Amino acid sequence: MTDESERAVQAAIDGEMRLLDPEVRASPARVLELLDPDFTEIGASGRRWDVESILTVTSGGSVSRESPVTVSEMSGVVLAPGVVHLTYFADNQGRRAWRSSLWRLTETGWRMYFHQGTLTG
């Protein structure tokens, strides 16, 4: 991986971890800084989310400081210039899911464009 690719992947990982931070999630303005205006998610429940609906969930305390999301096996790859794909396992209070995110570089920085969660056993 080139230095540029490594920096792109690290920027996406940093953004992903910020979105999992309870303090960031509690602030719709901070979440909006990290989501692409065209963001969509297919949640572990099978529900489809957009920016507005995800802001309702994140600001509602879906992740607490007392039991933060535990992340493991985080990895990323550059799919094309300005596009990074991340995958990882996330455990949120015993609910374990395989997560996949697409991040793209915009004029204002790296933003999550798409996210999907699939429950695991």
Side-chain angles (χ1 to χ4, degrees):
M1 192 179 311
T2 67
D3 287 347
E4 185 177 332
S5 293
E6 286 178 17
R7 282 191 299 274
V9 169
Q10 190 59 54
I13 289 172
D14 292 347
E16 192 83 37
M17 296 306 292
R18 286 177 50 210
L19 281 171
L20 293 171
D21 182 316
E23 287 186 31
V24 172
R25 294 173 73 87
S27 168
R30 291 174 73 186
V31 172
L32 282 174
E33 290 173 359
L34 296 165
L35 296 181
D36 191 273
D38 295 326
F39 169 82
T40 58
E41 175 177 339
I42 299 171
S45 65
R47 181 177 172 185
R48 185 179 173 134
W49 304 83
D50 60 13
V51 172
E52 291 300 317
S53 59
I54 211 71
L55 285 176
T56 301
V57 171
T58 58
S59 63
S62 59
V63 175
S64 72
R65 285 185 195 178
E66 293 77 33
S67 53
V69 174
T70 303
V71 172
S72 61
E73 299 183 42
M74 175 82 75
S75 66
V77 63
V78 174
L79 299 178
V83 180
V84 171
H85 179 225
L86 298 180
T87 57
Y88 61 98
F89 283 107
D91 188 315
N92 185 6
Q93 299 178 14
R95 187 172 187 219
R96 189 166 160 86
W98 179 245
R99 300 280 175 176
S100 176
S101 298
L102 290 176
W103 287 78
R104 68 179 177 181
L105 185 58
T106 69
E107 293 176 358
T108 58
W110 286 94
R111 291 180 171 228
M112 183 186 285
Y113 175 75
F114 177 79
H115 185 81
Q116 181 167 354
T118 303
L119 293 178
T120 62

